[in-house]
């Protein structure tokens, strides 16, 4: 089978490119404005070139020169233009947010590279922001460049990721190939959903604020998922607990697995939450349940934001635990301060989802080959 090539725009730490790599793609280059994410990408993608800085300051020719490709030779241009302008967590979201227009920069690079395939990922909020203006603009922009395009909402948990995560994925090609979407692998009638226990059960325990540095695993492998993410790793990196104040420790002691702020005695609640309706803030101060999936991993796994309390330890989850929930392999180490590591993990496409997308793309690409070429490609 052909060794497909890919470039990853807005690559962050490289979750999507790691998934494509697992599917057999050769990652040629990445770009991101975040220096900490760039450092992680460079450390984990030694085969790829990294172009730092704003996409506004780069041209398609920069990527062509860097990779030695000619226009039209690249197999796949991947990318996830920053999504904060569309996120439902951004209460001022909309098309007035300048981040809502970064997809135009993606399309500018597409026009200069004319790859065979496009893969673009974003939050589901893009479908409603500006009354759907951005979503329709992306579709129209891709079609105007001569591509056939489809978009779907994919659920990460359907592909083995231990997390409830919804994202819009755009897939497009200009080669007349069918667009093949990845088949679900987990759920009813399929493999069981991956649980928090499957993901985190072998990691060493920590106390609130504890940092053991690089440390040994807490136990032997206890699930197929752990075996997969461990690979050949012998030690655990990026596994230190944030220091939470005494009042938060008091609050946690009242929260059972699957519980939330509703389980905290009224006099211990933060002032703002004492005025909240019980139907509000459903994930705040949530404690994970061993046998369920995580809520969406955000760029800040703060217990004030969501269900980021460890199932049975009185602390919030670590960067490594967030990375496990995102399906990053354990050898994938995150650079920069811990707050920036959380940002990198939360912004990423889960590599396992990226792998499934890459495998579907390869199937579709094979279907586009003429009969003699198909026989050559498979022979």
């Amino acid at each position: 089978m052909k060794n497909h090539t890919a470039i990853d725009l807005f690559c962050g730490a490289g979750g999507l490119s790691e998934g494509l790599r697992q599917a057999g793609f050769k990652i040629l280059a990445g770009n991101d404005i975040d220096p900490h994410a760039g450092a992680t990408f460079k450390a984990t993608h030694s085969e790829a070139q990294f172009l730092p800085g704003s996409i506004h300051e780069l041209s398609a020719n920069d990527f062509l020169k860097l990779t030695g490709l000619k226009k039209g030779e690249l197999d796949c241009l991947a990318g996830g233009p920053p999504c904060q302008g569309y996120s439902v967590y951004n209460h001022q979201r909309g098309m007035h947010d300048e981040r809502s227009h970064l997809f135009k920069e993606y399309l500018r690079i597409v026009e200069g590279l004319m790859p065979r395939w496009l893969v673009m990922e974003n939050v589901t909020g893009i479908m409603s922001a500006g009354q759907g203006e951005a979503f329709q603009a992306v579709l129209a922009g891709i079609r105007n460049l001569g591509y056939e395009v489809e978009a779907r909402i994919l659920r990460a948990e359907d592909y083995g990721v231990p997390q409830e995560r919804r994202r819009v994925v755009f897939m497009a090609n200009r080669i007349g190939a069918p667009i093949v979407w990845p088949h679900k692998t987990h759920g009813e009638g399929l493999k069981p959903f991956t649980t928090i226990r499957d993901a985190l059960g072998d990691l060493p325990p920590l106390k609130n604020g504890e940092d053991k540095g690089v440390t040994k695993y807490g136990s032997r492998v206890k699930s197929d998922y752990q075996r997969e993410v461990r690979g050949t790793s012998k030690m655990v990196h990026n596994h230190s607990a944030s220091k939470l104040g005494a009042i938060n420790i008091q609050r946690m002691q009242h929260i059972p697995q699957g519980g939330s702020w509703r389980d905290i005695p009224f006099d211990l609640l933060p002032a703002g939450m004492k005025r909240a309706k019980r139907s509000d803030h459903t994930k705040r101060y949530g404690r994970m349940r061993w046998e369920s999936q995580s809520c969406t991993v955000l760029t800040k796994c703060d217990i004030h934001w969501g269900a980021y309390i460890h199932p049975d330890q009185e602390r919030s989850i670590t960067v490594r635990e967030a990375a496990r929930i995102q399906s990053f392999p354990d050898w994938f180490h995150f650079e920069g301060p811990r707050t920036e590591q959380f940002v990198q993990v939360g912004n990423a496409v889960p590599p396992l989802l990226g792998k499934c997308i890459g495998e579907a793309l390869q199937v579709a690409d094979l279907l586009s080959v003429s009969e003699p070429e198909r026989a050559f490609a498979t022979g």
Side-chain angles (χ1 to χ4, degrees):
M1 184 177 289
K2 176 184 175 183
N3 189 14
H4 291 85
T5 56
I7 290 174
D8 193 357
L9 300 184
F10 311 100
C11 63
L16 180 52
S17 55
E18 169 58 20
L20 292 175
R21 182 166 57 185
Q22 291 178 15
F25 282 75
K26 181 179 181 181
I27 310 303
L28 300 182
N31 159 255
D32 202 275
I33 195 172
D34 183 336
H36 300 296
T40 297
F41 182 90
K42 287 191 288 185
T44 55
H45 293 73
S46 58
E47 78 285 11
Q49 302 289 331
F50 180 73
L51 273 177
S54 170
I55 192 69
H56 294 282
E57 299 168 1
L58 297 174
S59 69
N61 279 335
D62 293 322
F63 291 97
L64 294 176
K65 291 177 182 176
L66 193 68
T67 60
L69 294 174
K70 293 183 174 63
K71 184 176 180 178
E73 290 184 342
L74 179 68
D75 288 309
C76 179
L77 183 66
C83 58
Q84 292 90 341
Y86 312 124
S87 174
V88 295
Y89 295 99
N90 174 9
H91 299 293
Q92 286 77 44
R93 71 195 184 107
M95 293 303 292
H96 60 276
D97 190 318
E98 64 179 19
R99 295 168 298 186
S100 298
H101 296 276
L102 281 170
F103 73 86
K104 295 179 181 178
E105 297 299 312
Y106 177 87
L107 294 178
R108 177 176 62 82
I109 302 299
V110 170
E111 186 173 16
L113 295 180
M114 291 305 291
R116 301 169 74 245
W117 282 88
L118 306 177
V119 174
M120 193 175 105
E121 177 263 3
N122 220 296
V123 292
T124 57
I126 194 175
M127 303 181 81
S128 57
Q131 298 180 321
E133 179 184 347
F135 180 69
Q136 294 302 326
V138 172
L139 293 175
I142 293 173
R143 289 179 179 133
N144 288 342
L145 293 175
Y147 289 79
E148 293 294 323
V149 60
E150 293 182 13
R152 285 191 185 181
I153 295 176
L154 299 184
R155 305 191 329 158
E157 60 267 38
D158 290 337
Y159 303 95
V161 180
Q163 174 189 180
E164 296 176 351
R165 192 180 188 93
R166 312 287 185 270
R167 289 295 185 267
V168 177
V169 175
F170 299 83
M171 292 184 70
N173 74 79
R174 59 168 180 77
I175 57 175
I179 292 177
V180 176
W181 291 93
H183 293 293
K184 297 177 182 179
T185 57
H186 293 66
E188 187 175 353
L190 303 169
K191 296 178 182 177
F193 286 122
T194 307
T195 67
I196 294 297
R197 189 183 300 279
D198 294 331
L200 309 185
D202 64 326
L203 293 175
L206 292 172
K207 297 176 182 177
N208 177 50
E210 186 175 14
D211 183 356
K212 295 180 180 178
V214 179
T215 185
K216 294 181 179 179
Y217 286 94
S219 74
R220 59 178 176 78
V221 167
K222 296 180 178 179
S223 70
D224 290 339
Y225 185 87
Q226 291 168 19
R227 182 175 293 104
E228 188 68 26
V229 294
R230 275 199 194 192
T232 59
S233 295
K234 303 298 182 185
M235 304 292 283
V236 181
H237 294 248
N238 303 119
H239 188 54
S240 62
S242 302
K243 179 71 172 177
L244 300 178
I247 184 65
N248 278 324
I249 300 302
Q250 282 185 272
R251 291 164 180 160
M252 285 182 190
Q253 291 168 350
H254 296 276
I255 303 171
Q257 285 190 38
S260 68
W261 69 279
R262 296 175 188 79
D263 298 291
I264 301 172
F266 183 81
D267 62 324
L268 288 179
L269 285 171
M273 297 188 72
K274 289 180 178 178
R275 301 188 296 272
K277 297 178 181 178
R278 295 188 69 78
S279 58
D280 291 344
H281 312 299
T282 54
K283 298 290 186 181
R284 290 194 176 191
Y285 285 90
R287 188 184 289 276
M288 293 178 171
R289 191 193 302 270
W290 278 123
E291 308 307 330
S292 297
Q293 290 71 52
S294 168
C295 65
T296 302
V297 170
L298 301 176
T299 56
K300 188 178 181 182
C301 292
D302 189 317
I303 63 173
H304 299 273
W305 285 24
Y308 302 121
I309 300 174
H310 190 277
D312 59 18
Q313 297 168 34
E314 304 302 331
R315 60 174 178 81
S316 56
I317 63 171
T318 68
V319 170
R320 178 51 53 195
E321 288 166 335
R324 279 278 188 97
I325 292 167
Q326 277 278 62
S327 75
F328 276 98
D330 284 357
W331 62 261
F332 205 106
H333 306 158
F334 297 88
E335 304 290 333
R338 184 167 54 200
T339 54
E340 297 298 330
Q341 294 171 13
F342 274 118
V343 170
Q344 293 169 47
V345 174
N347 276 335
V349 175
L352 192 52
L353 177 58
K355 178 184 179 183
C356 293
I357 291 170
E359 290 173 343
L361 190 153
Q362 289 181 321
V363 169
D365 198 57
L366 197 60
L367 293 174
S368 73
V369 180
S370 65
E371 289 301 327
E373 290 174 319
R374 183 180 297 119
F376 177 80
T378 58

